[in-house]
């Protein structure tokens, strides 16, 4: 068990949804590394977002390293996160999650986590 | 009249202009889509059975080769059937349901006897500019019917992409990227524009147990969205080839 503190990276001024996402992911997966980035501004003017009530916290990019993913294929890992953030996706207007999910071993293989 | 295979846009224009009373049945197909094989036969048989009826014109269109015509009618998936009279779209059918096709044909052709259509007695005439989604499927599509349709759709081609928009006109950055990856790897794929069919859009989320689009299916098996395909390709350049070989 590593004694190094977990790295948790989020936006400089996270909104309420981002805070919830960070909390949920941290509590559920106990990640050694977590980065959540808010990409909503890249999509707010796109046709698909026209008329949407939430354009400020609609698209997130998540990079997470956790042993919870060991032995699971990628669709399963993504489904774990989708299930955890089901409320955000269904009711809070979160439109998309880009996800990179790795175990510590996989992260060490690839230096660009 | 039996089936006329359209060879060119000008032929299409010739055959579809003028006659205000003729019922024109457009059948869009592609050589690679499995359901089209079955539907090809059915379309031909039905057309032949109505051969003596000059009020109906059966036109068969290869959606790949005559892409301008497909785009004109916003055909997003094959097989696709459109019934037109006097430049008005009467009905659109997406997918390969012979019963639905025959019912619609009887409903709108003047020579029908008893119509067993379950869409109500009055034909829905719509202006060519608008394409309401509800005319292309029964009012109350049961859970089972949706499941059946999804099973057929996800196996319509060896590689099926469920995306927002079409490959030539993607409506979402992630869909666009996934199309680019498929093209880069020169992968033949079928696509379905989920923006055009809300019951597929919602149904597929449950079917795949996946809340977002685009979604990629290989041999009827869900593979993932953009992230997963990107990572899979990074790890293994032969990802698509291998996935295709892993038998259905």
């Amino acid at each position: 068990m590593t004694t190094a503190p977990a790295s948790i990276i989020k936006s400089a001024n996270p909104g309420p949804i981002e805070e919830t996402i960070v909390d949920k992911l941290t509590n559920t997966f106990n990640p050694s590394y977590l980065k959540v980035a808010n990409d909503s501004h890249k999509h707010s003017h796109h046709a698909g977002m026209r008329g949407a009530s939430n354009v400020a916290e609609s698209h997130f990019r998540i990079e997470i390293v956790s042993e919870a993913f060991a032995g699971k294929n990628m669709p399963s890992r993504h489904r774990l996160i989708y299930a955890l953030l089901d409320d955000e996706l269904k009711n809070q207007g979160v439109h998309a999650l880009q996800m990179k999910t790795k175990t510590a071993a996989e992260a060490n293989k690839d230096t660009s986590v | 009249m039996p089936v006329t295979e359209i060879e060119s846009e000008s032929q299409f224009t010739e055959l579809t202009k003028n006659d205000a009373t003729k019922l024109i049945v457009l059948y869009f197909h592609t050589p690679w889509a499995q359901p089209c094989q079955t539907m090809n036969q059915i379309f031909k048989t039905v057309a032949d059975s109505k051969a003596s009826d000059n009020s109906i014109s059966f036109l068969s269109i290869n959606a790949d080769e005559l892409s301008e015509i497909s785009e004109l009618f916003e055909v997003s998936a094959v097989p696709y059937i459109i019934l037109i009279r006097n430049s008005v779209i009467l009905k659109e059918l997406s997918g390969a349901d012979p019963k639905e096709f025959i019912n619609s044909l009887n409903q709108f052709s003047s020579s029908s006897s008893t119509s067993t259509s379950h869409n109500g007695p009055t034909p829905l005439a719509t202006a060519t500019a608008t394409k309401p989604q509800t005319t292309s499927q029964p009012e109350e599509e049961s859970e089972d019917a949706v499941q059946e349709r999804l099973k057929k759709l996800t196996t319509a081609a060896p590689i099926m992409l469920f995306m927002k928009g079409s490959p030539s006109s993607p409506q979402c950055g992630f869909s666009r990227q996934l199309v680019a990856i498929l093209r880069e790897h020169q992968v033949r794929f079928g696509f379905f524009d989920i923006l055009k069919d809300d019951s597929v859009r919602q149904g597929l989320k449950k079917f795949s147990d996946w809340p977002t689009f685009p979604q990629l299916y290989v041999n009827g098996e869900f593979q993932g969205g953009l992230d997963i395909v990107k990572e899979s390709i990074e790890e293994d350049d032969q990802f698509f080839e291998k996935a295709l070989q892993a038998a259905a």
Side-chain angles (χ1 to χ4, degrees):
Chain A
M1 185 147 127
T2 176
T3 47
S7 300
I8 307 216
I9 304 168
K10 52 187 179 179
S11 305
N13 290 311
I17 295 180
E18 185 174 336
E19 291 282 23
T20 312
I21 291 179
V22 171
D23 284 343
K24 280 186 176 179
L25 290 171
T26 310
N27 294 332
T28 308
F29 297 110
N30 205 15
S32 54
Y33 174 86
L34 171 65
K35 177 175 176 191
V36 176
N38 185 341
D39 279 348
S40 310
H41 59 281
K42 294 185 189 166
H43 301 267
S44 54
H45 298 297
H46 288 174
M49 295 304 293
R50 224 165 269 156
S53 49
N54 175 9
V55 294
E57 294 201 278
S58 58
H59 292 68
F60 288 98
R61 216 175 346 120
I62 298 172
E63 290 172 27
I64 178 169
V65 179
S66 161
E67 291 320 293
F69 299 128
K72 294 192 171 70
N73 65 16
M74 278 190 275
S76 306
R77 297 181 186 189
H78 289 209
R79 284 199 178 103
L80 282 176
I81 298 181
Y82 279 141
L84 186 65
L85 301 178
D86 188 56
D87 180 51
E88 281 72 23
L89 285 161
K90 288 214 174 94
N91 306 321
Q92 308 293 334
V94 173
H95 203 75
L97 296 173
Q98 281 193 274
M99 297 178 278
K100 275 203 164 71
T101 54
K102 292 193 196 284
T103 58
E106 289 159 4
N108 288 332
K109 251 198 313 177
D110 168 33
T111 47
S112 60
V113 161
Chain B
M1 279 168 27
V3 177
T4 307
E5 181 73 39
I6 300 287
E7 305 285 325
S8 71
E9 266 186 82
S10 45
Q11 182 193 15
F12 177 74
T13 315
E14 255 317 297
L15 292 172
T16 51
K17 69 179 185 196
N18 294 337
D19 205 327
T21 56
K22 218 181 193 103
L23 175 65
I24 300 174
V25 185
L26 299 178
Y27 168 56
F28 292 86
H29 63 89
T30 56
W32 47 259
Q34 269 291 47
C36 285
Q37 310 304 335
T38 329
M39 207 55 191
N40 284 345
Q41 262 310 108
I42 294 170
F43 191 71
K44 190 171 171 308
T45 311
V46 172
D48 284 344
S49 74
K50 297 270 185 192
S52 53
D53 187 343
N54 279 329
S55 70
I56 312 180
S57 206
F58 291 87
L59 307 180
S60 174
I61 299 162
N62 182 325
D64 279 345
E65 297 197 350
L66 294 161
S67 51
E68 282 85 14
I69 304 181
S70 331
E71 279 180 42
L72 181 66
F73 287 94
E74 293 183 302
V75 172
S76 53
V78 284
Y80 205 88
I81 296 178
I82 306 181
L83 283 83
I84 302 178
R85 179 182 276 126
N86 199 16
S87 300
V88 172
I89 295 180
L90 301 172
K91 190 146 182 105
E92 293 182 62
L93 301 164
S94 181
D97 190 338
K99 251 196 336 215
E100 228 191 326
F101 170 44
I102 294 172
N103 283 343
S104 307
L105 193 58
N106 287 334
Q107 184 183 350
F108 293 109
S109 73
S110 39
S111 58
S112 68
S113 43
T114 44
S115 167
T116 48
S117 162
H118 44 191
N119 279 327
T122 44
L124 291 158
T126 57
T128 42
T130 50
K131 271 176 25 113
Q133 283 306 303
T134 47
T135 52
S136 60
Q137 57 241 48
E139 267 125 31
E140 295 281 314
E141 206 173 4
S142 67
E143 273 284 321
D144 288 336
V146 177
Q147 286 288 102
E148 270 309 300
R149 215 149 65 89
L150 293 175
K151 264 197 221 122
K152 287 194 201 138
L153 277 173
T154 53
T155 50
I159 299 187
M160 267 306 280
L161 176 63
F162 293 87
M163 62 181 289
K164 294 185 174 178
S166 64
S168 51
S169 168
Q171 296 300 303
C172 141
F174 303 133
S175 289
R176 190 189 318 116
Q177 286 182 58
L178 193 33
V179 169
I181 292 176
L182 290 167
R183 287 186 169 157
E184 218 178 287
H185 285 80
Q186 300 185 321
V187 175
R188 285 217 85 170
F189 65 97
F191 77 93
F192 188 93
D193 181 355
I194 53 106
L195 293 177
K196 302 238 155 151
D197 190 327
D198 206 56
S199 64
V200 170
R201 184 177 184 172
Q202 302 313 325
L204 201 58
K205 286 184 189 174
K206 278 198 222 122
F207 190 86
S208 317
D209 187 16
W210 200 261
T212 54
F213 290 98
Q215 289 186 16
L216 192 71
Y217 271 80
V218 175
N219 287 332
E221 294 229 347
F222 177 72
Q223 300 296 312
L226 176 64
D227 295 337
I228 292 182
V229 175
K230 256 203 234 165
E231 276 195 64
S232 306
I233 275 287
E234 269 163 30
E235 288 185 9
D236 184 359
D237 206 39
Q238 298 292 303
F239 168 68
F240 293 116
E241 287 81 356
K242 295 210 180 126
L244 279 169
Q245 274 159 24

